[in-house]
Amino acid sequence: MRGMGNMNNMMKQMQKMQKDMAKAQEELKDLTVEGTAGGGMVKVVVSGHKEVLDVIIAEDAVDPDDIEMLQDLVLAAVNDGMKQADQLVNDKMGRFTQGMNLPGF
């Protein structure tokens, strides 16, 4: 019956890991990162759940004669913010998937 003890122990470890993963996922919603473009002229705040929470545009970035530049800066800041959010998720959740070859993680 030694095998059953090992199986029960493994199941307990899996349940603890699932609980820890759920807690880490929950914590991500309260963590934020900041993406920037144009030397900080445009900033976006992104949550660990990859939601854009805020867009901050410096007055200097607003040129009615060059809307394309502002659009490019916003796009670049959002992309930077999403990249930062991906890194945050990897940092927070990577310990659970380290060594595993799981698609999507």
Side-chain angles (χ1 to χ4, degrees):
M1 288 296 191
R2 183 170 170 83
M4 286 300 277
N6 286 341
M7 182 64 87
N8 285 336
N9 190 28
M10 190 181 340
M11 291 299 289
K12 285 180 184 178
Q13 287 177 349
M14 288 296 292
Q15 288 172 342
K16 181 182 181 332
M17 187 172 89
Q18 285 178 326
K19 187 185 252 185
D20 291 347
M21 283 178 70
K23 182 180 178 201
Q25 270 296 102
E26 185 65 24
E27 289 172 355
L28 279 171
K29 79 172 185 188
D30 296 326
L31 298 176
T32 61
V33 293
E34 186 176 273
T36 62
M41 291 176 64
V42 176
K43 298 177 188 177
V44 296
V45 178
V46 180
S47 77
H49 283 182
K50 299 181 185 175
E51 296 174 338
V52 176
L53 302 174
D54 199 5
V55 177
I56 302 109
I57 300 173
E59 198 172 309
D60 299 355
V62 181
D63 179 354
D65 296 326
D66 194 0
I67 298 299
E68 280 187 29
M69 181 191 73
L70 180 56
Q71 291 169 335
D72 290 344
L73 289 173
V74 170
L75 184 60
V78 168
N79 286 333
D80 185 48
M82 290 299 174
K83 188 168 87 175
Q84 300 289 334
D86 282 339
Q87 186 61 51
L88 178 67
V89 170
N90 287 338
D91 291 348
K92 192 81 169 159
M93 301 302 291
R95 67 178 185 248
F96 299 111
T97 58
Q98 192 172 24
M100 296 182 201
N101 189 11
L102 300 175
F105 285 94

